[in-house]
PDB file of all heavy atoms in Angstrom:
ATOM      1  N   GLN A1472      88.208 112.597 123.341  1.00 95.00           N
ATOM      2  CA  GLN A1472      87.288 112.601 124.498  1.00 95.00           C
ATOM      3  C   GLN A1472      87.049 111.144 125.007  1.00 95.00           C
ATOM      4  O   GLN A1472      86.437 110.341 124.303  1.00 95.00           O
ATOM      5  CB  GLN A1472      85.971 113.202 124.086  1.00 95.00           C
ATOM      6  CG  GLN A1472      84.878 113.127 125.183  1.00 95.00           C
ATOM      7  CD  GLN A1472      85.296 113.923 126.418  1.00 95.00           C
ATOM      8  OE1 GLN A1472      85.456 115.097 126.326  1.00 95.00           O
ATOM      9  NE2 GLN A1472      85.368 113.239 127.577  1.00 95.00           N
ATOM     10  N   PRO A1473      87.632 110.816 126.169  1.00 96.00           N
ATOM     11  CA  PRO A1473      87.355 109.431 126.664  1.00 96.00           C
ATOM     12  C   PRO A1473      85.964 109.230 127.121  1.00 96.00           C
ATOM     13  O   PRO A1473      85.412 110.002 127.858  1.00 96.00           O
ATOM     14  CB  PRO A1473      88.384 109.349 127.839  1.00 96.00           C
ATOM     15  CG  PRO A1473      88.591 110.734 128.254  1.00 96.00           C
ATOM     16  CD  PRO A1473      88.457 111.588 127.100  1.00 96.00           C
ATOM     17  N   ILE A1474      85.367 108.168 126.618  1.00 96.00           N
ATOM     18  CA  ILE A1474      84.021 107.772 127.127  1.00 96.00           C
ATOM     19  C   ILE A1474      84.193 106.386 127.755  1.00 96.00           C
ATOM     20  O   ILE A1474      84.534 105.430 127.126  1.00 96.00           O
ATOM     21  CB  ILE A1474      83.038 107.637 125.878  1.00 96.00           C
ATOM     22  CG1 ILE A1474      83.015 108.980 125.123  1.00 96.00           C
ATOM     23  CG2 ILE A1474      81.720 107.200 126.333  1.00 96.00           C
ATOM     24  CD1 ILE A1474      82.378 110.095 125.937  1.00 96.00           C
ATOM     25  N   GLY A1475      84.047 106.377 129.078  1.00 95.00           N
ATOM     26  CA  GLY A1475      84.314 105.191 129.792  1.00 95.00           C
ATOM     27  C   GLY A1475      85.753 104.947 130.074  1.00 95.00           C
ATOM     28  O   GLY A1475      86.616 105.840 129.717  1.00 95.00           O
ATOM     29  N   PRO A1476      86.166 103.791 130.568  1.00 96.00           N
ATOM     30  CA  PRO A1476      87.548 103.468 130.833  1.00 96.00           C
ATOM     31  C   PRO A1476      88.350 103.292 129.518  1.00 96.00           C
ATOM     32  O   PRO A1476      87.781 103.144 128.434  1.00 96.00           O
ATOM     33  CB  PRO A1476      87.550 102.214 131.659  1.00 96.00           C
ATOM     34  CG  PRO A1476      86.225 101.566 131.304  1.00 96.00           C
ATOM     35  CD  PRO A1476      85.248 102.722 131.047  1.00 96.00           C
ATOM     36  N   PRO A1477      89.682 103.356 129.579  1.00 97.00           N
ATOM     37  CA  PRO A1477      90.483 103.223 128.391  1.00 97.00           C
ATOM     38  C   PRO A1477      90.197 102.005 127.534  1.00 97.00           C
ATOM     39  O   PRO A1477      90.210 102.085 126.297  1.00 97.00           O
ATOM     40  CB  PRO A1477      91.951 103.166 128.926  1.00 97.00           C
ATOM     41  CG  PRO A1477      91.897 103.920 130.239  1.00 97.00           C
ATOM     42  CD  PRO A1477      90.527 103.625 130.779  1.00 97.00           C
ATOM     43  N   ALA A1478      89.882 100.876 128.184  1.00 97.00           N
ATOM     44  CA  ALA A1478      89.611  99.645 127.449  1.00 97.00           C
ATOM     45  C   ALA A1478      88.372  99.832 126.538  1.00 97.00           C
ATOM     46  O   ALA A1478      88.317  99.276 125.372  1.00 97.00           O
ATOM     47  CB  ALA A1478      89.336  98.487 128.400  1.00 97.00           C
ATOM     48  N   ILE A1479      87.412 100.587 126.937  1.00 97.00           N
ATOM     49  CA  ILE A1479      86.219 100.906 126.185  1.00 97.00           C
ATOM     50  C   ILE A1479      86.656 101.656 124.936  1.00 97.00           C
ATOM     51  O   ILE A1479      86.130 101.412 123.822  1.00 97.00           O
ATOM     52  CB  ILE A1479      85.172 101.693 126.969  1.00 97.00           C
ATOM     53  CG1 ILE A1479      84.596 100.802 128.090  1.00 97.00           C
ATOM     54  CG2 ILE A1479      84.063 102.198 126.066  1.00 97.00           C
ATOM     55  CD1 ILE A1479      83.746  99.641 127.551  1.00 97.00           C
ATOM     56  N   MET A1480      87.502 102.661 125.086  1.00 98.00           N
ATOM     57  CA  MET A1480      87.943 103.445 123.967  1.00 98.00           C
ATOM     58  C   MET A1480      88.789 102.608 122.989  1.00 98.00           C
ATOM     59  O   MET A1480      88.658 102.766 121.756  1.00 98.00           O
ATOM     60  CB  MET A1480      88.728 104.697 124.450  1.00 98.00           C
ATOM     61  CG  MET A1480      87.933 105.716 125.131  1.00 98.00           C
ATOM     62  SD  MET A1480      86.581 106.431 124.158  1.00 98.00           S
ATOM     63  CE  MET A1480      87.552 107.240 122.755  1.00 98.00           C
ATOM     64  N   VAL A1481      89.603 101.761 123.474  1.00 98.00           N
ATOM     65  CA  VAL A1481      90.427 100.917 122.604  1.00 98.00           C
ATOM     66  C   VAL A1481      89.486 100.018 121.726  1.00 98.00           C
ATOM     67  O   VAL A1481      89.701  99.896 120.521  1.00 98.00           O
ATOM     68  CB  VAL A1481      91.359 100.012 123.466  1.00 98.00           C
ATOM     69  CG1 VAL A1481      92.028  98.949 122.524  1.00 98.00           C
ATOM     70  CG2 VAL A1481      92.422 100.858 124.073  1.00 98.00           C
ATOM     71  N   GLU A1482      88.489  99.435 122.414  1.00 98.00           N
ATOM     72  CA  GLU A1482      87.557  98.619 121.682  1.00 98.00           C
ATOM     73  C   GLU A1482      86.781  99.367 120.674  1.00 98.00           C
ATOM     74  O   GLU A1482      86.573  98.980 119.527  1.00 98.00           O
ATOM     75  CB  GLU A1482      86.529  97.959 122.697  1.00 98.00           C
ATOM     76  CG  GLU A1482      85.550  97.080 122.039  1.00 98.00           C
ATOM     77  CD  GLU A1482      84.452  96.601 123.030  1.00 98.00           C
ATOM     78  OE1 GLU A1482      84.022  97.395 123.873  1.00 98.00           O
ATOM     79  OE2 GLU A1482      84.092  95.461 122.951  1.00 98.00           O
ATOM     80  N   GLN A1483      86.340 100.601 121.016  1.00 98.00           N
ATOM     81  CA  GLN A1483      85.560 101.460 120.089  1.00 98.00           C
ATOM     82  C   GLN A1483      86.404 101.849 118.904  1.00 98.00           C
ATOM     83  O   GLN A1483      85.922 101.815 117.746  1.00 98.00           O
ATOM     84  CB  GLN A1483      85.069 102.702 120.846  1.00 98.00           C
ATOM     85  CG  GLN A1483      84.261 103.629 119.926  1.00 98.00           C
ATOM     86  CD  GLN A1483      83.043 102.990 119.319  1.00 98.00           C
ATOM     87  OE1 GLN A1483      82.035 102.840 119.993  1.00 98.00           O
ATOM     88  NE2 GLN A1483      83.109 102.696 118.055  1.00 98.00           N
ATOM     89  N   LEU A1484      87.608 102.297 119.139  1.00 98.00           N
ATOM     90  CA  LEU A1484      88.439 102.787 118.003  1.00 98.00           C
ATOM     91  C   LEU A1484      88.847 101.627 117.123  1.00 98.00           C
ATOM     92  O   LEU A1484      88.884 101.767 115.924  1.00 98.00           O
ATOM     93  CB  LEU A1484      89.696 103.475 118.557  1.00 98.00           C
ATOM     94  CG  LEU A1484      89.348 104.808 119.301  1.00 98.00           C
ATOM     95  CD1 LEU A1484      90.593 105.359 120.067  1.00 98.00           C
ATOM     96  CD2 LEU A1484      88.828 105.853 118.247  1.00 98.00           C
ATOM     97  N   ALA A1485      89.044 100.468 117.741  1.00 98.00           N
ATOM     98  CA  ALA A1485      89.338  99.248 116.877  1.00 98.00           C
ATOM     99  C   ALA A1485      88.158  98.933 116.056  1.00 98.00           C
ATOM    100  O   ALA A1485      88.297  98.472 114.839  1.00 98.00           O
ATOM    101  CB  ALA A1485      89.721  98.053 117.786  1.00 98.00           C
ATOM    102  N   HIS A1486      86.974  99.096 116.539  1.00 97.00           N
ATOM    103  CA  HIS A1486      85.732  98.810 115.778  1.00 97.00           C
ATOM    104  C   HIS A1486      85.618  99.796 114.610  1.00 97.00           C
ATOM    105  O   HIS A1486      85.257  99.413 113.501  1.00 97.00           O
ATOM    106  CB  HIS A1486      84.508  98.946 116.659  1.00 97.00           C
ATOM    107  CG  HIS A1486      83.187  98.728 115.982  1.00 97.00           C
ATOM    108  ND1 HIS A1486      82.855  97.543 115.399  1.00 97.00           N
ATOM    109  CD2 HIS A1486      82.141  99.498 115.782  1.00 97.00           C
ATOM    110  CE1 HIS A1486      81.629  97.617 114.883  1.00 97.00           C
ATOM    111  NE2 HIS A1486      81.210  98.860 115.040  1.00 97.00           N
ATOM    112  N   LEU A1487      85.941 101.078 114.821  1.00 97.00           N
ATOM    113  CA  LEU A1487      85.921 102.040 113.736  1.00 97.00           C
ATOM    114  C   LEU A1487      86.912 101.634 112.654  1.00 97.00           C
ATOM    115  O   LEU A1487      86.583 101.787 111.477  1.00 97.00           O
ATOM    116  CB  LEU A1487      86.196 103.470 114.228  1.00 97.00           C
ATOM    117  CG  LEU A1487      85.133 104.176 115.121  1.00 97.00           C
ATOM    118  CD1 LEU A1487      85.626 105.458 115.634  1.00 97.00           C
ATOM    119  CD2 LEU A1487      83.824 104.317 114.310  1.00 97.00           C
ATOM    120  N   ILE A1488      88.066 101.232 113.065  1.00 97.00           N
ATOM    121  CA  ILE A1488      89.063 100.772 112.070  1.00 97.00           C
ATOM    122  C   ILE A1488      88.564  99.582 111.258  1.00 97.00           C
ATOM    123  O   ILE A1488      88.646  99.595 110.024  1.00 97.00           O
ATOM    124  CB  ILE A1488      90.448 100.457 112.789  1.00 97.00           C
ATOM    125  CG1 ILE A1488      90.991 101.742 113.332  1.00 97.00           C
ATOM    126  CG2 ILE A1488      91.404  99.821 111.774  1.00 97.00           C
ATOM    127  CD1 ILE A1488      92.191 101.506 114.269  1.00 97.00           C
ATOM    128  N   GLU A1489      87.995  98.633 112.020  1.00 97.00           N
ATOM    129  CA  GLU A1489      87.487  97.419 111.361  1.00 97.00           C
ATOM    130  C   GLU A1489      86.346  97.710 110.427  1.00 97.00           C
ATOM    131  O   GLU A1489      86.307  97.207 109.262  1.00 97.00           O
ATOM    132  CB  GLU A1489      87.045  96.436 112.401  1.00 97.00           C
ATOM    133  CG  GLU A1489      86.544  95.061 111.840  1.00 97.00           C
ATOM    134  CD  GLU A1489      86.040  94.141 112.973  1.00 97.00           C
ATOM    135  OE1 GLU A1489      86.103  94.516 114.096  1.00 97.00           O
ATOM    136  OE2 GLU A1489      85.697  93.029 112.579  1.00 97.00           O
ATOM    137  N   ILE A1490      85.400  98.481 110.810  1.00 96.00           N
ATOM    138  CA  ILE A1490      84.200  98.737 110.003  1.00 96.00           C
ATOM    139  C   ILE A1490      84.548  99.622 108.827  1.00 96.00           C
ATOM    140  O   ILE A1490      83.970  99.504 107.771  1.00 96.00           O
ATOM    141  CB  ILE A1490      83.083  99.385 110.825  1.00 96.00           C
ATOM    142  CG1 ILE A1490      81.742  99.057 110.192  1.00 96.00           C
ATOM    143  CG2 ILE A1490      83.282 100.890 111.008  1.00 96.00           C
ATOM    144  CD1 ILE A1490      80.533  99.348 111.068  1.00 96.00           C
ATOM    145  N   GLY A1491      85.680 100.433 108.986  1.00 96.00           N
ATOM    146  CA  GLY A1491      86.114 101.280 107.839  1.00 96.00           C
ATOM    147  C   GLY A1491      86.748 100.449 106.773  1.00 96.00           C
ATOM    148  O   GLY A1491      86.958 100.960 105.680  1.00 96.00           O
ATOM    149  N   GLU A1492      87.057  99.187 107.013  1.00 95.00           N
ATOM    150  CA  GLU A1492      87.630  98.305 106.002  1.00 95.00           C
ATOM    151  C   GLU A1492      86.574  97.698 105.088  1.00 95.00           C
ATOM    152  O   GLU A1492      86.913  97.070 104.118  1.00 95.00           O
ATOM    153  CB  GLU A1492      88.482  97.208 106.646  1.00 95.00           C
ATOM    154  CG  GLU A1492      89.678  97.791 107.375  1.00 95.00           C
ATOM    155  CD  GLU A1492      90.489  96.704 108.086  1.00 95.00           C
ATOM    156  OE1 GLU A1492      89.998  95.580 108.239  1.00 95.00           O
ATOM    157  OE2 GLU A1492      91.655  97.000 108.473  1.00 95.00           O
ATOM    158  N   LEU A1493      85.340  97.781 105.472  1.00 94.00           N
ATOM    159  CA  LEU A1493      84.241  97.187 104.659  1.00 94.00           C
ATOM    160  C   LEU A1493      84.222  97.981 103.342  1.00 94.00           C
ATOM    161  O   LEU A1493      84.454  99.219 103.285  1.00 94.00           O
ATOM    162  CB  LEU A1493      82.903  97.288 105.351  1.00 94.00           C
ATOM    163  CG  LEU A1493      82.721  96.472 106.670  1.00 94.00           C
ATOM    164  CD1 LEU A1493      81.445  96.792 107.302  1.00 94.00           C
ATOM    165  CD2 LEU A1493      82.907  94.997 106.314  1.00 94.00           C
ATOM    166  N   PRO A1494      83.890  97.303 102.258  1.00 91.00           N
ATOM    167  CA  PRO A1494      83.975  97.959 100.872  1.00 91.00           C
ATOM    168  C   PRO A1494      83.036  99.134 100.742  1.00 91.00           C
ATOM    169  O   PRO A1494      83.299 100.039  99.960  1.00 91.00           O
ATOM    170  CB  PRO A1494      83.623  96.789  99.934  1.00 91.00           C
ATOM    171  CG  PRO A1494      82.949  95.798 100.803  1.00 91.00           C
ATOM    172  CD  PRO A1494      83.547  95.863 102.147  1.00 91.00           C
ATOM    173  N   ASN A1495      81.903  99.089 101.447  1.00 94.00           N
ATOM    174  CA  ASN A1495      80.886 100.192 101.260  1.00 94.00           C
ATOM    175  C   ASN A1495      81.034 101.286 102.362  1.00 94.00           C
ATOM    176  O   ASN A1495      80.140 102.150 102.435  1.00 94.00           O
ATOM    177  CB  ASN A1495      79.492  99.618 101.326  1.00 94.00           C
ATOM    178  CG  ASN A1495      79.161  98.861 100.088  1.00 94.00           C
ATOM    179  OD1 ASN A1495      79.947  98.782  99.155  1.00 94.00           O
ATOM    180  ND2 ASN A1495      78.006  98.253  99.967  1.00 94.00           N
ATOM    181  N   VAL A1496      82.014 101.203 103.200  1.00 96.00           N
ATOM    182  CA  VAL A1496      82.112 102.094 104.364  1.00 96.00           C
ATOM    183  C   VAL A1496      83.405 102.889 104.281  1.00 96.00           C
ATOM    184  O   VAL A1496      84.476 102.336 104.068  1.00 96.00           O
ATOM    185  CB  VAL A1496      82.011 101.310 105.668  1.00 96.00           C
ATOM    186  CG1 VAL A1496      82.124 102.299 106.863  1.00 96.00           C
ATOM    187  CG2 VAL A1496      80.704 100.482 105.756  1.00 96.00           C
ATOM    188  N   SER A1497      83.292 104.180 104.592  1.00 97.00           N
ATOM    189  CA  SER A1497      84.522 105.014 104.765  1.00 97.00           C
ATOM    190  C   SER A1497      84.365 105.817 106.080  1.00 97.00           C
ATOM    191  O   SER A1497      83.282 106.305 106.325  1.00 97.00           O
ATOM    192  CB  SER A1497      84.644 105.995 103.570  1.00 97.00           C
ATOM    193  OG  SER A1497      83.657 107.002 103.578  1.00 97.00           O
ATOM    194  N   VAL A1498      85.486 105.903 106.755  1.00 98.00           N
ATOM    195  CA  VAL A1498      85.500 106.652 108.055  1.00 98.00           C
ATOM    196  C   VAL A1498      86.696 107.671 107.917  1.00 98.00           C
ATOM    197  O   VAL A1498      87.813 107.235 107.740  1.00 98.00           O
ATOM    198  CB  VAL A1498      85.756 105.735 109.278  1.00 98.00           C
ATOM    199  CG1 VAL A1498      85.812 106.585 110.543  1.00 98.00           C
ATOM    200  CG2 VAL A1498      84.641 104.687 109.392  1.00 98.00           C
ATOM    201  N   ARG A1499      86.372 108.936 108.005  1.00 98.00           N
ATOM    202  CA  ARG A1499      87.343 109.942 107.819  1.00 98.00           C
ATOM    203  C   ARG A1499      87.304 110.928 109.032  1.00 98.00           C
ATOM    204  O   ARG A1499      86.262 111.106 109.673  1.00 98.00           O
ATOM    205  CB  ARG A1499      87.133 110.692 106.504  1.00 98.00           C
ATOM    206  CG  ARG A1499      87.268 109.856 105.271  1.00 98.00           C
ATOM    207  CD  ARG A1499      86.780 110.552 104.096  1.00 98.00           C
ATOM    208  NE  ARG A1499      87.555 111.805 103.864  1.00 98.00           N
ATOM    209  CZ  ARG A1499      87.069 112.844 103.201  1.00 98.00           C
ATOM    210  NH1 ARG A1499      85.877 112.828 102.662  1.00 98.00           N
ATOM    211  NH2 ARG A1499      87.815 113.924 103.093  1.00 98.00           N
ATOM    212  N   VAL A1500      88.523 111.451 109.357  1.00 98.00           N
ATOM    213  CA  VAL A1500      88.596 112.330 110.538  1.00 98.00           C
ATOM    214  C   VAL A1500      88.895 113.728 110.117  1.00 98.00           C
ATOM    215  O   VAL A1500      89.715 113.997 109.218  1.00 98.00           O
ATOM    216  CB  VAL A1500      89.789 111.742 111.431  1.00 98.00           C
ATOM    217  CG1 VAL A1500      89.909 112.729 112.640  1.00 98.00           C
ATOM    218  CG2 VAL A1500      89.473 110.326 111.875  1.00 98.00           C
ATOM    219  N   LEU A1501      88.221 114.628 110.727  1.00 97.00           N
ATOM    220  CA  LEU A1501      88.452 116.111 110.606  1.00 97.00           C
ATOM    221  C   LEU A1501      89.536 116.454 111.620  1.00 97.00           C
ATOM    222  O   LEU A1501      89.295 116.434 112.815  1.00 97.00           O
ATOM    223  CB  LEU A1501      87.255 116.962 110.753  1.00 97.00           C
ATOM    224  CG  LEU A1501      87.429 118.405 110.471  1.00 97.00           C
ATOM    225  CD1 LEU A1501      87.691 118.678 109.017  1.00 97.00           C
ATOM    226  CD2 LEU A1501      86.255 119.273 110.966  1.00 97.00           C
ATOM    227  N   GLU A1502      90.718 116.781 111.166  1.00 96.00           N
ATOM    228  CA  GLU A1502      91.836 117.002 112.108  1.00 96.00           C
ATOM    229  C   GLU A1502      91.720 118.316 112.852  1.00 96.00           C
ATOM    230  O   GLU A1502      91.110 119.268 112.409  1.00 96.00           O
ATOM    231  CB  GLU A1502      93.162 116.963 111.325  1.00 96.00           C
ATOM    232  CG  GLU A1502      93.435 115.645 110.717  1.00 96.00           C
ATOM    233  CD  GLU A1502      94.756 115.623 109.925  1.00 96.00           C
ATOM    234  OE1 GLU A1502      95.833 115.369 110.516  1.00 96.00           O
ATOM    235  OE2 GLU A1502      94.686 115.889 108.694  1.00 96.00           O
ATOM    236  N   ARG A1503      92.368 118.398 113.956  1.00 95.00           N
ATOM    237  CA  ARG A1503      92.339 119.612 114.808  1.00 95.00           C
ATOM    238  C   ARG A1503      92.812 120.831 114.016  1.00 95.00           C
ATOM    239  O   ARG A1503      92.318 121.966 114.228  1.00 95.00           O
ATOM    240  CB  ARG A1503      93.210 119.340 116.036  1.00 95.00           C
ATOM    241  CG  ARG A1503      93.220 120.524 117.013  1.00 95.00           C
ATOM    242  CD  ARG A1503      93.940 120.155 118.258  1.00 95.00           C
ATOM    243  NE  ARG A1503      93.848 121.165 119.280  1.00 95.00           N
ATOM    244  CZ  ARG A1503      94.192 121.035 120.569  1.00 95.00           C
ATOM    245  NH1 ARG A1503      94.721 119.892 120.957  1.00 95.00           N
ATOM    246  NH2 ARG A1503      94.104 122.012 121.443  1.00 95.00           N
TER     247      ARG A1503
END
């Protein structure tokens, strides 16, 4: 689901990847 222009989504997804690298953080996706 795009929220805002593509650049906003790129920045947001990059942030999720980055924050998921923190030792106390896990980000997991429920696939379709």
Side-chain angles (χ1 to χ4, degrees):
Q1472 175 64 60
I1474 302 295
I1479 292 294
M1480 290 300 297
V1481 170
E1482 180 187 41
Q1483 176 61 76
L1484 293 169
H1486 178 64
L1487 287 177
I1488 293 170
E1489 180 181 2
I1490 205 166
E1492 294 178 347
L1493 295 174
N1495 287 357
V1496 180
S1497 70
V1498 179
R1499 298 169 57 204
V1500 178
L1501 184 70
E1502 298 179 85
R1503 183 172 186 170

